[in-house]
DNA sequence: GCGCCTTTGAAGAAG
DNA sequence: CTTCTTCAAAGGCGC
């Protein structure tokens, strides 16, 4: 099946039968031993972080409350169910949910986007914040990008949805809804318009086969009801729209595109290979920027490229359309604030490690929720920007260090710095009274002085049923879905494999997963082993240096019990 | 002030 | 077909 599951629960289970350990794909290319060493260090760091998590997790009552070990987010589920029931009822009643264009978003309410932004043409900070939350893909153009300098905040900050982002009032995933508001339009648009989308290749509007959309946006209430809508929590308690849509708002000749205000502007400009100059700063006449659009002013490439001035001009005119967020990214957006709140850590790198672990500890259903969201996001994205390709964004970022690595002195410095950190951290570890799960990564032992206290009880997911189910295999739970969806043909392919990162993950990234082949146990390392390739799929033996480093690592930790927890899998 | 770090996943490029 | 690379978010930190 074309879905994430790639074939069955077993594979998914794989997800839970393994734990990935990052290994710095970046450095991996280094031919020198430094590479391996650095990798090793990073792994150690990683493991330390994990230890820290585990260590602190047990005392986090708040976390425990929020995420019962066996059922993280159960509360959300409850709400979701309730909302869902109500929404479903409404839908079946033929209310304004009726529009079938995006059945996948049957219950979403769109705020009156015009107000927050355009009450007099200006955008209040609060309004912007609001916007940011709703438009995850949007890098709101900075003042530089706004001809009228409406935006008081720098564009580069636009994407940071800090303060409010995860306020409990608005779910971080809310952004998704912004892709699809059309179905909230009163009445049902002419059928001939509904599923019409632009052919990515030709740019010609076409009407996809029902099967193309149904998987993602099931038309039948029953289908919708098959799974609790991930955004269910967005629904207001009383069954009334958390957000309202201006009557008749967002009308567009291509309703099926879930055209939002800014989108229509894109329709005229985007997607042709020679993108026409978009309306000022990707703002629709309504002034609402699209989430996925980033003013080139923000993401400009440094003058390190070879583009001619004219080319630059052309480039500048192109809005930067961001990639749709994947499941994990969506999850991160949602959970980051919580993790940060629960933990004194502030560095995203550390937070992300934690999130990565949490991700793996999620139950299959929970992951499926995010995969579903991600799929919808992609779907919507592809419909909004039919001509967009991930490739369009290549090179938009600064070159990564990977490109100039092997010899660079900075690398060397970095390497030694990490060694220093590592050593220091080891000392701390051994000096620690509770040496079992002492500190954070070496990095943080030095740079961030702070420890992650009270962290995720659920992290010790070893016994978590959630993980016992593996994960994501059902993500694509939605049926059949992707299968026929032309909007995400590639997605189908990749979704198949993705969940099975166990086997498909490129070694280059050195995500090492642990599993015991042939054994129906799910080993979970509460303290990850450094970069050794325990995974059977990793055929290439570690380099001598690698091995040496590993040996060293074992020596270092030999006094510490390696918590390899195995749990039975179904 | 830019870029790294760190995570997973999607998608494109390259082999 | 497989492998590798880039980019999505985020924010502290190093240089």
């Amino acid at each position: 099946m074309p879905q994430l599951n790639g074939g069955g629960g077993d594979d998914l289970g794989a997800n839970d039968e393994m734990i990935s350990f990052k290994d710095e794909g970046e450095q991996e290319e280094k031919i020198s031993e430094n590479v391996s060493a650095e990798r090793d260090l990073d792994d150690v760091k990683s493991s330390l972080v994990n230890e820290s998590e585990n260590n602190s997790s047990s005392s986090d009552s708040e976390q425990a409350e929020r995420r019962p070990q066996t059922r993280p987010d159960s509360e959300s589920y409850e709400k979701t169910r309730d909302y869902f029931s109500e929404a479903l009822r409404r839908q079946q009643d033929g209310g304004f949910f009726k529009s079938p264009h995006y059945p996948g978003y049957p219950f979403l309410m769109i705020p009156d986007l015009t107000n927050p932004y355009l009450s007099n043409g200006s955008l209040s900070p609060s309004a912007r914040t609001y916007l940011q939350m709703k438009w995850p893909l949007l890098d709101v153009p900075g003042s530089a990008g706004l001809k009228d300098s409406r935006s008081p905040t720098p564009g580069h900050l636009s994407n940071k949805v800090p303060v409010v982002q995860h306020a409990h009032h608005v779910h971080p995933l809310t952004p998704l809804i912004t892709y699809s508001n059309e179905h909230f339009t009163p009445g049902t648009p002419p059928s001939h318009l509904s599923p019409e989308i632009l052919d990515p290749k030709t740019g010609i509007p076409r009407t996809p086969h029902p099967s193309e959309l149904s998987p993602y946006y099931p038309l039948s209430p029953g289908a919708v009801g098959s799974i609790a809508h991930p955004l269910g929590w967005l629904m207001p308690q009383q069954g009334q729209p958390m957000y309202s849509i201006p009557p008749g708002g967002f009308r567009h000749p291509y309703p099926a595109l879930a055209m939002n205000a800014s989108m229509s502007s894109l329709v005229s400009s985007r997607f042709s290979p020679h993108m026409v100059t978009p309306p000022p700063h990707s703002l629709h006449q309504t002034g609402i920027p699209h989430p996925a659009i980033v003013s080139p002013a923000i993401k400009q490439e440094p003058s390190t490229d070879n583009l001619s001035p004219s080319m630059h001009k052309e480039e500048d005119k192109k809005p930067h359309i961001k990639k749709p967020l994947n499941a994990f990214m969506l999850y991160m957006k949602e959970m980051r604030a919580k993790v940060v709140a629960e933990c004194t850590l502030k560095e995203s790198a550390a937070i992300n490690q934690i999130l990565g672990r949490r991700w793996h500890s999620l139950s299959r259903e929970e992951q499926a929720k995010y995969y579903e969201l991600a799929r919808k996001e992609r779907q919507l994205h592809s419909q909004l920007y039919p001509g967009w390709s991930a490739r369009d964004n290549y090179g938009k970022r600064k070159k990564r260090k990977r490109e100039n690595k092997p010899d660079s002195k900075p690398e060397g410095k970095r390497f030694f710095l990490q060694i220093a950190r590592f050593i220091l951290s080891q000392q701390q570890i051994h000096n620690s009274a509770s040496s079992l799960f002492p500190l954070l990564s070496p990095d943080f032992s030095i740079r961030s002085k702070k420890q992650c206290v009270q962290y995720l009880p659920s992290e010790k997911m070893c016994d978590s049923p959630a993980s016992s189910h593996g994960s994501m295999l059902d993500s694509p739970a939605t049926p059949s879905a992707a299968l026929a969806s032309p909007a995400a043909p590639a997605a189908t392919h990749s979704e198949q494999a993705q969940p099975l990162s166990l086997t498909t993950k490129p070694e280059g990234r050195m995500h090492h997963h642990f599993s015991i082949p042939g054994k129906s146990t799910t080993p979970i390392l509460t303290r990850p082993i450094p970069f050794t390739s325990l995974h059977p799929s990793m055929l290439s033996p570690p380099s001598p240096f690698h091995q040496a480093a590993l040996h060293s690592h074992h020596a270092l930790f030999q006094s510490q019990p390696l918590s390899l927890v195995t749990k039975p899998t179904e």
Side-chain angles (χ1 to χ4, degrees):
Chain A
M1 82 194 240
Q3 315 229 335
L4 302 181
N5 335 5
D10 284 343
D11 287 342
L12 248 24
N15 190 30
D16 115 90
E17 291 179 352
M18 54 138 187
I19 287 188
S20 64
F21 297 97
K22 63 99 192 319
D23 190 355
E24 298 261 3
E26 323 250 9
Q27 281 119 355
E28 159 195 348
E29 299 178 358
K30 295 181 187 134
I31 19 184
S32 69
E33 359 182 275
N34 286 6
V35 186
S36 299
E38 195 166 346
R39 247 188 263 153
D40 192 10
L41 286 172
D42 284 337
D43 277 320
V44 172
K45 287 193 298 182
S46 177
S47 67
L48 288 173
V49 169
N50 288 331
E51 290 172 14
S52 170
E53 295 169 25
N54 292 327
N55 187 31
S56 58
S57 64
S58 58
S59 59
D60 187 349
S61 57
E62 178 187 334
Q63 175 64 13
E65 168 188 304
R66 188 187 60 72
R67 286 175 51 123
Q69 289 188 7
T70 59
R71 192 58 185 175
D73 288 338
S74 61
E75 220 176 295
S76 294
Y77 270 77
E78 286 291 325
K79 291 180 183 175
T80 299
R81 262 196 297 275
D82 293 340
Y83 295 152
F84 177 78
S85 299
E86 170 66 9
L88 178 59
R89 185 185 59 75
R90 289 177 171 237
Q91 189 179 41
Q92 288 170 333
D93 287 347
F96 49 81
F97 286 114
K98 200 159 187 172
S99 173
H101 305 312
Y102 284 91
Y105 291 114
F107 318 130
L108 300 180
M109 296 302 167
I110 298 294
D112 183 339
L113 293 176
T114 58
N115 286 339
Y117 292 96
L118 306 172
S119 45
N120 92 346
S122 64
L123 184 60
S124 71
S126 60
R128 182 180 308 90
T129 300
Y130 177 75
L131 173 67
Q132 289 166 351
M133 292 191 297
K134 321 291 297 169
W135 304 75
L137 294 181
L138 171 62
D139 251 354
V140 179
S143 55
L146 295 175
K147 63 178 176 185
D148 56 358
S149 302
R150 287 173 182 170
S151 174
T153 55
H156 68 279
L157 293 178
S158 62
N159 225 10
K160 323 216 160 176
V161 221
V163 199
V164 226
Q165 177 177 15
H166 297 138
H168 303 287
H169 312 300
V170 179
H171 192 282
L173 297 183
T174 311
L176 274 179
I177 67 178
T178 60
Y179 282 117
S180 176
N181 53 36
E182 177 275 335
H183 53 279
F184 295 110
T185 310
T188 301
S191 59
H192 71 279
L193 288 178
S194 52
E196 189 175 35
I197 62 176
L198 295 181
D199 184 300
K201 308 289 186 206
T202 65
I204 299 171
R206 64 182 181 81
T207 299
H209 187 276
S211 63
E212 290 177 331
L213 291 174
S214 58
Y216 292 104
Y217 305 92
L219 294 175
S220 75
V224 173
S226 62
I227 61 170
H229 195 285
L231 297 179
W233 55 65
L234 290 175
M235 293 306 293
Q237 291 285 351
Q238 311 295 329
Q240 53 181 212
M242 181 178 291
Y243 311 112
S244 62
I245 284 206
F250 307 129
R251 297 274 188 187
H252 192 279
Y254 297 94
L257 291 180
M259 201 70 66
N260 60 35
S262 64
M263 209 193 117
S264 59
S265 70
L266 284 174
V267 169
S268 59
S269 65
R270 66 185 167 179
F271 323 135
S272 69
H274 311 290
M275 197 171 286
V276 179
T277 301
H281 321 297
S282 302
L283 291 177
H284 183 262
Q285 41 269 41
T286 62
I288 302 173
H290 188 276
I293 301 174
V294 173
S295 168
I298 310 169
K299 295 270 183 176
Q300 268 179 341
E301 274 286 272
S303 54
T304 56
D305 53 61
N306 305 322
L307 295 179
S308 67
S310 60
M311 298 264 304
H312 269 299
K313 283 185 179 179
E314 212 167 306
E315 278 284 309
D316 292 348
K317 291 176 182 177
K318 286 186 179 180
H320 179 79
I321 299 173
K322 293 184 175 182
K323 296 176 68 173
L325 302 187
N326 63 36
F328 180 69
M329 287 296 157
L330 290 171
Y331 173 74
M332 276 183 58
K333 265 180 128 21
E334 178 185 1
M335 298 302 296
R336 172 177 296 281
K338 291 179 183 174
V339 171
V340 169
E342 295 163 2
C343 175
T344 53
L345 280 176
K346 289 289 182 290
E347 292 193 41
S348 286
I351 298 297
N352 290 349
Q353 281 192 337
I354 292 167
L355 287 169
R357 287 201 62 184
R358 277 201 183 190
W359 173 252
H360 284 293
S361 72
L362 286 181
S363 72
R364 185 183 281 209
E365 291 77 14
E366 287 170 322
Q367 285 192 341
K369 188 172 73 181
Y370 293 96
Y371 278 103
E372 181 69 12
L373 282 172
R375 187 165 52 214
K376 287 173 180 173
E377 179 123 352
R378 288 197 305 275
Q379 165 97 359
L380 223 41
H381 193 279
S382 66
Q383 291 178 347
L384 289 171
Y385 316 105
W388 180 87
S389 161
R391 186 182 181 232
D392 296 346
N393 292 356
Y394 277 28
K396 299 274 182 176
R397 281 187 169 187
K398 302 284 161 69
K399 306 259 187 209
R400 309 187 73 179
K401 85 178 173 190
R402 171 181 292 264
E403 321 224 330
N404 45 336
K405 36 72 207 300
D407 43 0
S408 74
K409 294 175 181 174
E411 286 299 340
K413 283 174 81 176
R414 190 183 210 88
F415 169 69
F416 287 111
L417 178 60
Q418 289 193 349
I419 287 183
R421 286 173 179 161
F422 172 72
I423 293 172
L424 214 161
S425 69
Q426 293 307 316
Q427 291 175 342
Q428 290 178 334
I429 289 172
H430 289 284
N431 290 338
S432 172
S434 55
S435 59
L436 280 188
F437 304 108
L439 296 177
L440 294 173
S441 74
D443 243 43
F444 296 112
S445 67
I446 294 180
R447 305 200 313 217
S448 316
K449 40 354 183 170
K450 296 180 185 175
Q451 285 184 264
C452 185
V453 294
Q454 299 189 339
Y455 185 65
L456 347 141
S458 60
E459 281 300 302
K460 46 183 212 173
M461 61 294 200
C462 315
D463 49 8
S464 165
S467 55
S468 73
H469 290 93
S471 38
M472 28 192 149
L473 272 189
D474 359 347
S475 51
T478 37
S480 40
L483 311 188
S485 173
T492 343
H493 166 68
S494 54
E495 281 175 0
Q496 227 170 359
Q498 294 277 342
L500 311 179
S501 57
L502 180 66
T503 53
T504 60
K505 185 117 8 194
E507 191 174 350
R509 287 174 63 179
M510 299 300 277
H511 287 253
H512 300 228
H513 307 296
F514 292 90
S515 73
I516 299 178
K519 208 173 173 203
S520 63
T521 58
T522 299
I524 294 180
L525 299 173
T526 56
R527 184 168 65 76
I529 297 173
F531 69 77
T532 30
S533 300
L534 296 185
H535 192 278
S537 69
M538 308 202 63
L539 302 178
S540 56
S543 68
F545 186 86
H546 220 135
Q547 293 177 336
L550 174 59
H551 184 273
S552 169
H553 177 274
H554 283 323
L556 282 167
F557 283 96
Q558 109 187 51
S559 62
Q560 299 178 28
L562 175 63
S563 311
L564 174 61
V565 180
T566 61
K567 70 179 169 55
T569 56
E570 54 289 62

